[in-house]
């Protein structure tokens, strides 16, 4: 189907996917790369379906298309434009807003927003890239205000953690917190890191309470933290600047934190990051607008 390029320019993308057929063909090859298995009866024999790339179970006659049971299921616009939305979302260093996508692809802004948000559900964070031998730097990020507009003055608080070795950043995790309680912080660390990992943080109240649960944790005073945690501070400012510049007063902050962390954690893939995301989009189940609005309900 393709090779994984070191970089995927718009010209190279257009060469790989010049028309909808090549997009459907790419989905089919990824979806059935381990062979066909009917989702209805589990049978593994098939014949050609109604359309060229469809597969029909030879036992129960169920016809499945390359987009069925994926994020691309049921879209009402061109599959190529859906590929473009995924491409711009994952390859643009500073991301892309739904307004910009609307201008580029000649689609309604709400259409671009909805499908782009579906793409973000496939960019969820996990434990991948987490090396227990590397140091974790932990801090708080203020990512906007709760409530509509500025009705409430209380700010949203997010926890950010980076894994470093020397002066090099290897991975980043971020999560919106309901509060800065020690239970939420400890749960975040246990979700993404080993409990015996070496943790560095400054002395904000939640950290002082939570770090008591971990043996290899060190809290620095403000003066020392500027030196010891300079990579965390720089990463935090970059994330905050991107969030405010691209998405403004975003309501569901967690979705955009997932997006930023995904691009940072898999930046070493180069142009292959698009195909990595494409695999995730095919593995991800279809999601409706109603489900989507509740997906990041805690954000």
């Amino acid at each position: 189907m393709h090779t994984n390029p070191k970089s995927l320019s718009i010209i190279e993308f257009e060469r790989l996917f010049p028309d909808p057929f090549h997009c459907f063909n790419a989905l089919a090859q990824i979806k059935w790369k381990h062979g066909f298995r009917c989702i209805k009866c589990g049978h593994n024999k098939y014949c050609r379906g109604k359309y060229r790339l469809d597969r029909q179970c030879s036992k129960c006659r169920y016809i499945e298309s390359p987009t069925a049971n994926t994020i691309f299921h049921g879209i009402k616009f061109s599959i190529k434009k859906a590929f473009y939305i995924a491409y711009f979302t994952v390859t643009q260093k500073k991301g892309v807003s739904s307004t910009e996508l609307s201008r580029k692809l000649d689609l309604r802004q709400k259409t671009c927003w909805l499908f782009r948000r579906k793409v973000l559900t496939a960019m969820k964070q996990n434990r991948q890239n987490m090396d227990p031998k590397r140091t974790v730097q932990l801090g708080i990020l203020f990512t906007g205000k709760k409530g509509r507009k500025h009705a409430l003055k209380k700010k949203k608080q997010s926890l950010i953690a980076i894994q470093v070795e020397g002066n090099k950043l290897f991975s980043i995790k971020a999560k919106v917190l309901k509060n800065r309680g020690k239970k939420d912080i400890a749960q975040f660390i246990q979700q993404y890191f080993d409990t015996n990992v070496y943790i560095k943080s400054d002395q904000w109240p939640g950290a002082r309470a939570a770090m008591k649960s971990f043996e290899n944790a060190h809290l620095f005073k403000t003066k020392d933290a500027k030196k010891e945690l300079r990579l965390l501070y720089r990463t935090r400012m970059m994330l905050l600047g991107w969030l405010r510049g691209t998405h403004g007063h975003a309501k569901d902050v967690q979705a955009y934190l997932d997006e930023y962390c995904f691009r940072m954690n898999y930046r070493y893939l180069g142009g292959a990051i698009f195909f990595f995301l494409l695999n995730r989009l095919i593995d991800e189940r279809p999601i409706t607008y109603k489900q989507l609005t509740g997906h990041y309900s805690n954000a």
Side-chain angles (χ1 to χ4, degrees):
M1 179 184 69
H2 58 75
T3 56
N4 289 337
K6 291 184 179 179
S7 62
L8 188 63
S9 66
I10 192 69
I11 296 176
E12 180 68 9
F13 179 86
E14 184 63 32
R15 185 186 69 81
L16 292 172
F17 308 107
D19 51 52
F21 173 79
H22 284 78
C23 298
F24 285 120
N25 188 47
L27 294 179
Q29 291 194 36
I30 296 174
K31 184 176 183 178
W32 294 306
K33 60 185 175 183
H34 298 303
F36 172 81
R37 182 167 294 277
C38 179
I39 63 171
K40 294 291 185 180
C41 66
H43 194 61
N44 60 0
K45 301 295 183 181
Y46 68 94
C47 58
R48 180 174 173 175
K50 181 179 180 180
Y51 298 104
R52 182 176 176 182
L53 295 173
D54 291 354
R55 297 191 177 186
Q56 181 176 356
C57 175
S58 58
K59 183 178 181 180
C60 69
R61 302 300 178 184
Y62 172 74
I63 299 177
E64 185 173 350
S65 70
T67 60
N69 303 299
T70 72
I71 286 294
F72 299 96
H73 181 78
I75 60 173
K76 300 297 191 294
F77 54 94
S78 168
I79 186 67
K80 186 174 179 179
K81 290 187 177 182
F83 267 49
Y84 266 120
I85 292 176
Y87 168 78
F88 285 126
T89 297
V90 78
T91 59
Q92 297 281 41
K93 184 177 180 181
K94 295 185 178 180
V96 62
S97 66
S98 57
T99 304
E100 180 68 10
L101 287 172
S102 176
R103 185 186 65 81
K104 289 177 179 290
L105 303 177
D106 192 25
L107 290 172
R108 294 175 65 244
Q109 183 270 335
K110 289 185 177 180
T111 301
C112 294
W113 177 89
L114 179 59
F115 188 76
R116 185 179 179 280
R117 285 298 306 274
K118 290 182 178 181
V119 170
L120 297 190
T121 64
M123 302 171 80
K124 296 185 296 289
Q125 301 173 62
N126 53 36
R127 288 179 65 94
Q128 194 168 353
N129 295 331
M130 296 295 101
D131 189 339
K133 297 180 181 180
R134 293 182 179 131
T135 301
V136 173
Q137 296 183 10
L138 187 71
I140 281 289
L141 175 70
F142 294 104
T143 49
K145 296 186 177 182
K146 294 182 178 179
R148 292 187 176 182
K149 296 184 178 179
H150 302 299
L152 297 178
K153 295 183 179 180
K154 190 175 181 182
K155 292 183 177 180
K156 284 185 178 180
Q157 301 166 347
S158 299
L159 197 59
I160 179 174
I162 63 173
Q163 274 205 324
V164 301
E165 188 173 314
N167 293 322
K168 186 175 181 180
L169 183 149
F170 283 89
S171 60
I172 175 175
K173 300 294 179 186
K175 182 180 180 181
V176 175
L177 298 176
K178 292 181 179 180
N179 53 64
R180 289 191 289 180
K182 64 178 182 180
K183 290 184 179 180
D184 287 344
I185 298 169
Q187 185 181 14
F188 170 81
I189 296 173
Q190 292 169 356
Q191 181 180 359
Y192 296 119
F193 308 100
D194 293 336
T195 54
N196 60 346
V197 71
Y198 181 51
I199 304 173
K200 292 182 178 181
S201 181
D202 44 12
Q203 294 186 349
W204 41 279
R208 288 198 295 267
M211 292 305 107
K212 294 179 180 179
S213 304
F214 301 93
E215 296 181 0
N216 300 323
H218 190 88
L219 300 181
F220 295 92
K221 296 181 179 180
T222 304
K223 182 179 180 180
D224 297 327
K226 290 181 179 179
K227 178 180 179 181
E228 295 291 336
L229 305 176
R230 59 183 179 274
L231 190 56
L232 172 67
Y233 290 170
R234 186 171 65 187
T235 304
R236 183 167 60 185
M237 291 305 297
M238 289 172 58
L239 171 54
L240 190 58
W242 167 80
L243 187 63
R244 289 175 175 173
T246 304
H247 300 295
H249 297 286
K251 179 181 178 181
D252 297 334
V253 177
Q254 186 61 55
Y256 302 113
L257 294 179
D258 288 344
E259 175 191 357
Y260 186 87
C261 292
F262 183 91
R263 282 202 303 268
M264 287 293 293
N265 291 337
Y266 296 104
R267 64 193 183 280
Y268 64 88
L269 292 176
I273 192 173
F274 170 74
F275 300 103
F276 180 73
L277 175 62
L278 202 58
N279 277 268
R280 283 199 171 191
L281 292 173
I282 293 173
D283 292 337
E284 197 73 16
R285 298 300 90 188
I287 184 169
T288 64
Y289 174 77
K290 185 176 181 180
Q291 293 171 328
L292 187 63
T293 54
H295 188 79
Y296 293 105
S297 58
N298 293 330

